[in-house]
Amino acid sequence: MSEEKKPTNFLQDIVEEDLKGGMPKKNLGFRFPPEPNGYLHIGHVKAMSISFGLGEQYQAPVNLRFDDTNPAKEEDEYVRAIQEDIQWLGFQWAEVRYSSDYFQQLYDWAVKMIKAGTAYVDSQSSEAMAEQKGTPTKPGVAGPYRDRSVEENLELFDKMKRGEFEEGKHVLRAKIDMEHTNMLMRDPIMYRVVNKAHHRTGTEWHIYPMYDWAHGQSDYLEGISHSLCSLEFMPHRELYDWFLDQIKDDEKPLPKQREFARLNIDYTVMSKRKLLALVESGTVAGWDDPRMPTIAAMRRRGYPPQALRNFVERVGVTRRENVIELSLLEYFVREELNRTATRVMAVLDPVKVVITNYPEGETEYLSTENNPEDENAGTRELPFGRELYIERADFKEEANRKFFRLTLGKEVRLKSAYIIKGESVVKDTEGNITEIHVTYDPKSKSGSGTEESLRKVKGTLHWVAAEQAVSLEVRQYDRLFMDEAPDGHKDKEFTEFLNPDSLQLIQAYGEPSLKDRAVGERVQFQRLGYFVVDPDTDAEKTVYNKTVGLKDNWAKKTH
RNA sequence: UGCCCGAUGGUGUAACUGGCAACACGUCUGAUUUUGGUUCAGAAGAGUCUAGGUUCGAGCCCUAGUCGGGCAACCA
């Protein structure tokens, strides 16, 4: 069979053209450059998929580079978490690097620029500099320190480095063009004084490079050929190239920055700043709260790594802004889980069923398949007895013929067990049903092959034997925000759209096997959805998180 | 009153160097089913932002406009 040709995206086309244009394949290099100031989210999966994907395609190295140029925001915890997430997704980096590895080289280059007259120390307040910078429609003007002598610049810069100044007193700026149409070219800041400890270099430095000054040079030092980033960096490209021009030697090829549109998903926020705010305010339990769009949260929620990768691959890569429907992500999660998750029985909203013609005190074990989608998944035994639990919603005293569940006088099958018939109900003084009395057909046992077992009934219910049922804490999640674009309203804070019912705690009953499943194991509660064992599980309690529900056409129609 | 991006069904992406718009999700039918899941069969839904132009022929090329996004952090 011929392979189906996958369409290429514009970034692959760029690489391909560079190769055709004579770039040796061995010069190819990519990088994934997160700032360790928060956890990675689903948007980063797209970025990773692009750069790691290209690396895989061309067998070129992909570095993991922590862009750690701002000690005020960055922490080791994030470095650790980011590596864990990347490994969980299955991407492989060539080397771990840090922008801070290059602080000395960057400093030396800065000195060289000062000597060349292309960088100077500015000693004004940030307000004054902002004033001189102009606006997008108004050109900037030169500040009073722009033409300081090389000697004075060198001396001041050296003192900045040695920690002789307070933060904010001086900065080093590139001398480009205060009237440039691109604001970033109006003498951008290269260094600022920061008297804080850095997570790796400690107190060695008192000056730290800005993003624009560090990023391209780091790419250059690592031999990155294609530095791929999101659209917001588009205007930075000009500066990126300008800085490279100042420091390049003629031997080494220059990296090129290219931009793609970042991933957005409806009903969610994707900025690290906003996610941090949710964590710090206690709105969610942490970066890995299953309602968050972070990789750690999705892992805890039960999303398989392959589902995330399939998702971002399907979404594609272009330069236009996009908002993906959450249902697409959920589709890939279900697709993966349908293939792999063991089917189990659990009842989330139990009501007791008594089989009046089943012998009291007796228990039998029934065989049930682990996964009808996987022949090799095997079977397991389920206890069955006179008293059971079923879902409250699976019974109505009377119902129309569209109701494929238990009613009085009609038959349904209990999954992997027997056919039962509703006979009567017991109610409390307020009229709530406390027990449903039914009779069963002993000859209708599942898989027995008897004529009785083969007869058609209008529905099949899941159930749990009351005596052997184990209690479960089930955490059912709904979307965190009720608005399609929580951060898309100019006059409203995204937090105004928080869904008050995004977390529902449920005490449920499950079959015995649910007690001893490993943390992280994903199962399907039959007819309900996919669930995963939460790390909060311990000797006392068993906790399951709802990953995603099954598709439910009936609920949709009756809604 | 500037500069830079972008514009294809509800959503996202395709359409080789121009050859009568495809795929996935979603929606709707029907079949199968011991999960109202899965699977299978099928349907509806855009004529590609607008107006000109080039061409035998334009979603692809050109021009002008419209609309959307971005650009004034000692963040990345």
Side-chain angles (χ1 to χ4, degrees), chain A residues 484-502:
Chain A
E484 266 181 46
D487 53 4
H489 301 262
K490 288 189 177 75
D491 48 341
K492 287 182 179 169
E493 271 301 302
F494 71 104
T495 46
E496 290 182 42
F497 302 103
L498 281 163
N499 177 3
D501 301 316
S502 59

Side-chain angles (χ1 to χ4, degrees), chain A residues 345-363:
Chain A
M345 302 268 219
V347 175
L348 298 191
D349 183 18
V351 60
K352 185 167 276 186
V353 168
V354 179
I355 305 171
T356 53
N357 61 337
Y358 193 89
E360 287 193 48
E362 191 169 311
T363 296

Side-chain angles (χ1 to χ4, degrees), chain A residues 172-441:
Chain A
L172 185 74
R173 290 230 254 174
K175 194 170 179 178
I176 308 180
D177 177 1
M178 289 304 290
E179 294 177 18
H180 204 287
T181 53
N182 183 346
M183 297 280 298
L184 287 160
M185 299 296 276
R186 322 241 259 230
D187 289 12
I189 293 172
M190 295 170 67
Y191 278 98
R192 74 286 211 193
V193 172
V194 181
N195 292 309
K196 290 190 178 67
H198 184 275
H199 75 118
R200 298 194 80 234
T201 61
T203 53
E204 185 186 345
W205 293 88
H206 292 90
I207 53 172
Y208 290 89
M210 299 290 288
Y211 166 83
D212 289 298
W213 171 235
H215 203 92
Q217 308 1 281
S218 302
D219 288 337
Y220 186 61
L221 288 166
E222 291 177 22
I224 305 304
S225 58
H226 299 262
S227 183
L228 309 175
C229 58
S230 52
L231 241 31
E232 49 187 316
F233 291 96
M234 174 81 247
H236 293 251
R237 185 149 118 195
E238 200 170 10
L239 219 206
Y240 180 99
D241 290 337
W242 187 89
F243 273 133
L244 249 16
D245 262 346
Q246 311 309 306
I247 57 100
K248 69 180 176 191
D249 63 50
D250 293 330
E251 312 288 279
K252 205 169 170 181
L254 295 174
K256 57 166 71 166
Q257 174 186 306
R258 289 297 180 269
E259 313 79 16
F260 56 86
R262 60 188 301 163
L263 173 68
N264 297 293
I265 299 182
D266 56 5
Y267 295 97
T268 107
V269 299
M270 207 75 95
S271 102
K272 274 203 252 179
R273 206 202 91 233
K274 291 181 179 119
L275 297 178
L276 211 212
L278 292 172
V279 172
E280 290 190 328
S281 63
T283 306
V284 295
W287 284 100
D288 68 344
D289 183 301
R291 291 167 290 182
M292 295 279 275
T294 57
I295 296 169
M298 291 183 175
R299 174 168 61 235
R300 190 167 179 180
R301 176 88 176 244
Y303 288 13
Q306 193 60 46
L308 301 189
R309 295 183 58 162
N310 292 345
F311 168 69
V312 298
E313 192 175 323
R314 194 74 190 87
V315 156
V317 185
T318 64
R319 289 174 66 80
R320 72 178 138 186
E321 279 140 33
N322 57 80
V323 182
I324 315 291
E325 292 172 346
L326 198 57
S327 62
L328 185 63
L329 210 205
E330 293 184 336
Y331 165 80
F332 284 104
V333 171
R334 288 193 188 100
E335 182 191 51
E336 201 64 18
L337 261 14
N338 178 51
R339 281 180 35 232
T340 56
T342 297
R343 271 59 170 175
V344 298
M345 302 268 219
V347 175
L348 298 191
D349 183 18
V351 60
K352 185 167 276 186
V353 168
V354 179
I355 305 171
T356 53
N357 61 337
Y358 193 89
E360 287 193 48
E362 191 169 311
T363 296
E364 67 178 306
Y365 285 83
L366 304 169
S367 173
T368 187
E369 52 191 347
N370 286 324
N371 186 349
E373 301 296 316
D374 178 3
E375 301 166 349
N376 302 315
T379 60
R380 68 177 190 292
E381 305 274 279
L382 242 29
F384 183 84
R386 189 170 196 264
E387 298 196 349
L388 314 167
Y389 293 111
I390 64 166
E391 300 287 345
R392 219 161 250 288
D394 283 343
F395 175 75
K396 271 188 188 171
E397 292 180 66
E398 295 173 42
N400 63 27
R401 46 217 299 261
K402 300 280 262 181
F403 188 78
F404 300 166
R405 308 179 183 187
L406 186 63
T407 57
L408 260 16
K410 295 278 172 51
E411 289 188 328
V412 291
R413 171 169 292 285
L414 293 175
K415 173 74 184 172
S416 297
Y418 297 93
I419 292 172
I420 59 170
K421 183 158 93 173
E423 303 288 358
S424 63
V425 292
V426 179
K427 295 182 180 174
D428 64 16
T429 51
E430 274 152 30
N432 302 308
I433 296 170
T434 54
E435 282 183 7
I436 302 164
H437 287 190
V438 305
T439 51
Y440 85 123
D441 177 353

